[in-house]
Amino acid sequence: MRISGKALLTAGAAAAGAVTATRIAAARRSSTQAAGRRHVITVNRAFDEAGTGRLPAPLAELGEAVEIRRQPAPGGRGTEISARARSGKVSDGDIRRALREARSELEVGYVLLPGGPTTEPTPLNKPLREATAHGREGGLL
Amino acid sequence: MKALQWQGVNKLAVGDVPDPQLRNPGDIIVKVRRTVTCGSDLHLLGGYIPFMEKGDVLGHEFLGEVVEVGPEVRRHRVGDRVVVSSFISCGKCWFCEQELYSLCDNGNTNPAITETLWGQAPGGCFGYSHAMGGNPGSHAEYIRVPFADVGAFPVPGEVSDERALFASDAAATGWMGADLGGVKPGDVVAVWGAGGVGQMAARAAMLLGAERVIVIDRLDNRLQQVEKYIGAETLNFERTDVALELRERSGGRGPDVCIEAVGMEAAGKGPQYAYDQLKQQLRLQSDRPVAVREAVHACRKGGSVFVLGVYAGFVDKFPLGALMNKGVTMRGAQMHGQRYIPMLLDRMARGELVTEHLATHVMPLAEAPEGYRIFKEKEDNCVRAVFVP
Ligand SMILES: NC(=O)c1ccc[n+]([C@@H]2O[C@H](COP(=O)([O-])OP(=O)(O)OC[C@H]3O[C@@H](n4cnc5c(N)ncnc54)[C@H](O)[C@@H]3O)[C@@H](O)[C@H]2O)c1
Ligand SMILES: [Zn+2]
Ligand SMILES: [Zn+2]
């Protein structure tokens, strides 16, 4: 027997928002070497559409804590959005996640949520679980 | 529901997991009708790709029936029979627009791992570790398919489940190797590996007009399948010198296109193979690139090598000198299934592409751990084990 998942859709979105909020409220102190670096992504949307007007929610939520720039990508290949922390209030991880989520919102209209989970914690997979709990915050972006 | 779960290195079990739910508006839920083992799973099973968690559901090559659709889904209705691309792609990002679907910017919820490893993150895949998004796989009664309008395709009535199943991964991967490897009419093409992927690559090369296609393996039953169902020539690397034989069969020039469909657990012989195995066991190299080396060396001047086999990290003794001085082009990719699946289904309907023979073993999902054992050991002439949930 299957239960309909439609109700969960909205619940899922709300949960994602709550997580975002907690992250910002917690304002994890950034202590990485690259703190203050400018992080940048290219969004596959024309500058007219993605380069002006309201920022997508994940970036808007960071508010005054980040400085954001938008410019047309070379060759008309979309819009570059970059962000840099103005102070230690926002971590590089927060910025990476916000940029990736903003790109998804602009391109797709929503951010892909993970499926499952079907797994259980073990001492062996502890580091992996920690990494995937912050899957959009890490990396090199 | 029941699902096949990874429990640790070389440990699988069928267990109970929660039913999948629609989580994004573009999702559908598919009731799995057929799901199959892939050579890629062996790399996960053996612990060569260390991003698995106890309980992860395996499987990425499957076909089934739509049982639920999200509010933004336009192309599918409950009751449709669909085959699904193994890679999860949004269809909207720059990479999807270039039809490089497995490189999707929005299809992996964990881009950090692969971005750190490789510089940039490819997209997500079903049942293929947390590096590829940690998406529950298809060896289960039901599966959630995100971006369903992009990745799920209706199966034409005249194509059986048995045949259409392989459009999901093996056939699309093989086609990509021949297509992006640049196979042209009249070419001589060599394919390393006579598993599902290698066989499909060989068939694709023939359909793209190659005049001579030679498939290399050591397993006679697989080579016999190549001769009987694919219609290509074969070469057993345990009985012949691959380099010499390919030279002879290509008029002394070397194959125009070399497609590698073996992967990081390649078998080989002689001291170089012993060296690779030892280094891999000591974790000094992550992959054994026996077939890639051979392909680069055999390839004609100015020819191309396409790497379909999965590699995770670093390799030793790569013949960079041969690549550079011979002007060889080398490419690789995870499969861009969305680009090829509709065309493959048409060809399947016309009988140009047959795949059913790959399913040497068909069994209930409950027997999947045994199915993987047989597939891994290549026991009883197994080419692919298909599970029916
Ligand atoms: N690029 C992609 O998107 C994609 C998709 C599916 C599979 N794959 C990869 O393609 C590879 C093949 O997949 P498969 O399902 O056919 O696997 P498989 O394990 O069924 O087949 C591999 C074959 O290679 C043969 N082989 C081993 N060493 C060899 C050598 N030195 N020379 C020639 N042949 C050799 C084996 O005997 C076997 O028949 C795997 O690495 C898999 O991970 C990639
Ligand atoms: Zn596969
Ligand atoms: Zn995409």
Side-chain angles (χ1 to χ4, degrees), chain B residues 38-40 60-61 86 169 384:
Chain B
C38 170
S40 299
H60 57 262
E61 186 165 25
S86 57
D169 190 63
R384 283 271 206 269

Side-chain angles (χ1 to χ4, degrees), chain B residues 159-209:
Chain B
V159 185
S160 66
D161 284 6
E162 287 78 357
R163 183 173 291 186
L165 169 63
F166 296 98
S168 175
D169 190 63
T173 303
W175 196 280
M176 178 183 74
D179 177 33
L180 302 187
V183 171
K184 287 191 279 301
D187 277 355
V188 177
V189 177
V191 179
W192 276 257
V197 174
Q199 291 196 29
M200 292 296 110
R203 186 67 193 153
M206 293 172 68
L207 291 169
L208 288 169

